[in-house]
Amino acid sequence: MLLPTMSFTLVPLGGIALLLALKSFGINQEYERGVVFRLGRLQATKGPGWFWLIPLVERVVKVDLRTITYSLDTQETVTRDGVAVRVNAVLWYRAFDAAGVVTTVTNWESAIVQAAETALRDAIGQSDLDQMLKDRTTINKRLHELLTLTCIRWGVEFDAVEIKDLDIPPQMQRAIAREAEAIREKRARIIKAEGEQEAARKLNEAATIIGGAPGALELRRLQTLAEIGVEHNSTIIAMFPTELLEAFKKLPGATG
């Protein structure tokens, strides 16, 4: 009579043992690490592949080591020169120390987002509007340094941080457009003045050369008349020095 009773007792015990054995067996993917705790104390980090746990004594927390891409919500802040702007950024970060991620910060992904939003506002507050418009690389570098300084002790590192969009007030956009137009007009005037300066320099050189040869001016005048006479559609009245006319009269075959 005792054998049936013992068999009925062993069946539940065997099921419980099998369930515990299955629960103590785990598998980590290539990009996962398992942080093992034994009675609440950190023991080891299990790499990719299968692993065993002591039932009811050990537990594991899995951490994904792949790079995470996150787009921050738009942040409203003020630049160093007092301009209100709206900016957002994109983060690329990953956990490199699985044990540090689990033991040093609660909900590490949410903590990273909060730290990034704070660092973004700090980086914008330390920059002028012109710098944000013309040199985002420096701001991205500063933002990366701020986040690295904050999160490296959590076991998290940043691959890159990039400001994606920058919105400024409409009145500031109009002011920037007027400034750009004024700069272009200034450049146009400078270029025109430089052209006139160069032309005056060349004319001065030409006048010096012509002044050194008495007949050069008359030759230039005749060349100009020849160029004008090509059109044959106008009457040209030209004044010549009397010395030149007297010289023409002395030519062979010339008539008074």
Side-chain angles (χ1 to χ4, degrees), residues 2-15:
L2 294 176
L3 291 177
T5 303
M6 293 179 60
S7 62
F8 282 116
T9 304
L10 291 175
V11 169
L13 293 177

Side-chain angles (χ1 to χ4, degrees), residues 103-148:
T103 58
T104 58
V105 62
T106 302
N107 193 358
W108 67 279
E109 293 187 17
S110 176
I112 292 297
V113 173
Q114 297 297 324
E117 291 178 350
T118 302
L120 178 61
R121 288 191 292 267
D122 290 342
I124 298 303
Q126 297 172 10
S127 305
D128 295 330
L129 180 62
D130 289 341
Q131 183 181 11
M132 294 180 59
L133 295 174
K134 300 176 183 178
D135 189 15
R136 289 192 186 182
T137 303
T138 302
I139 301 177
N140 292 335
K141 182 179 179 181
R142 184 183 304 162
L143 182 58
H144 187 276
E145 292 174 351
L146 289 173
L147 287 175
T148 300

Side-chain angles (χ1 to χ4, degrees), residues 14-215:
I16 294 174
L18 179 61
L19 180 62
L20 291 176
L22 292 176
K23 289 181 67 65
S24 65
F25 174 77
I27 297 176
N28 283 330
Q29 301 297 328
E30 184 66 30
Y31 52 84
E32 290 179 329
R33 298 294 183 271
V35 182
V36 179
F37 293 88
R38 180 179 300 168
L39 297 177
R41 297 185 66 86
L42 177 66
Q43 293 299 311
T45 300
K46 302 293 184 179
W50 63 273
F51 59 89
W52 288 95
L53 300 174
I54 301 176
L56 304 178
V57 176
E58 293 182 338
R59 70 180 183 91
V60 65
V61 179
K62 292 186 177 183
V63 178
D64 194 329
L65 301 184
R66 292 176 294 180
T67 298
I68 300 173
T69 303
Y70 187 86
S71 180
L72 291 178
D73 295 334
T74 301
Q75 304 294 312
E76 296 185 5
T77 185
V78 179
T79 62
R80 185 168 57 184
D81 50 352
V83 180
V85 295
R86 294 165 54 89
V87 294
N88 60 10
V90 181
L91 312 176
W92 290 270
Y93 62 94
R94 61 187 180 88
F96 70 90
D97 181 7
V101 165
V102 174
T103 58
T104 58
V105 62
T106 302
N107 193 358
W108 67 279
E109 293 187 17
S110 176
I112 292 297
V113 173
Q114 297 297 324
E117 291 178 350
T118 302
L120 178 61
R121 288 191 292 267
D122 290 342
I124 298 303
Q126 297 172 10
S127 305
D128 295 330
L129 180 62
D130 289 341
Q131 183 181 11
M132 294 180 59
L133 295 174
K134 300 176 183 178
D135 189 15
R136 289 192 186 182
T137 303
T138 302
I139 301 177
N140 292 335
K141 182 179 179 181
R142 184 183 304 162
L143 182 58
H144 187 276
E145 292 174 351
L146 289 173
L147 287 175
T148 300
L149 183 64
T150 302
C151 302
I152 192 70
R153 63 179 183 271
W154 297 345
V156 179
E157 65 180 5
F158 286 84
D159 295 334
V161 182
E162 298 287 342
I163 293 178
K164 184 171 64 173
D165 293 324
L166 172 63
D167 294 333
I168 58 179
Q171 62 271 20
M172 185 57 62
Q173 295 179 18
R174 291 191 294 268
I176 293 173
R178 290 194 300 268
E179 180 183 2
E181 184 178 355
I183 292 174
R184 293 190 183 95
E185 185 177 354
K186 171 187 174 182
R187 291 175 181 173
R189 291 183 178 180
I190 291 175
I191 292 172
K192 183 179 179 181
E194 290 176 349
E196 292 178 353
Q197 183 181 12
E198 184 67 21
R201 187 179 296 112
K202 294 299 181 182
L203 288 174
N204 184 41
E205 293 175 0
T208 303
I209 295 173
I210 292 175

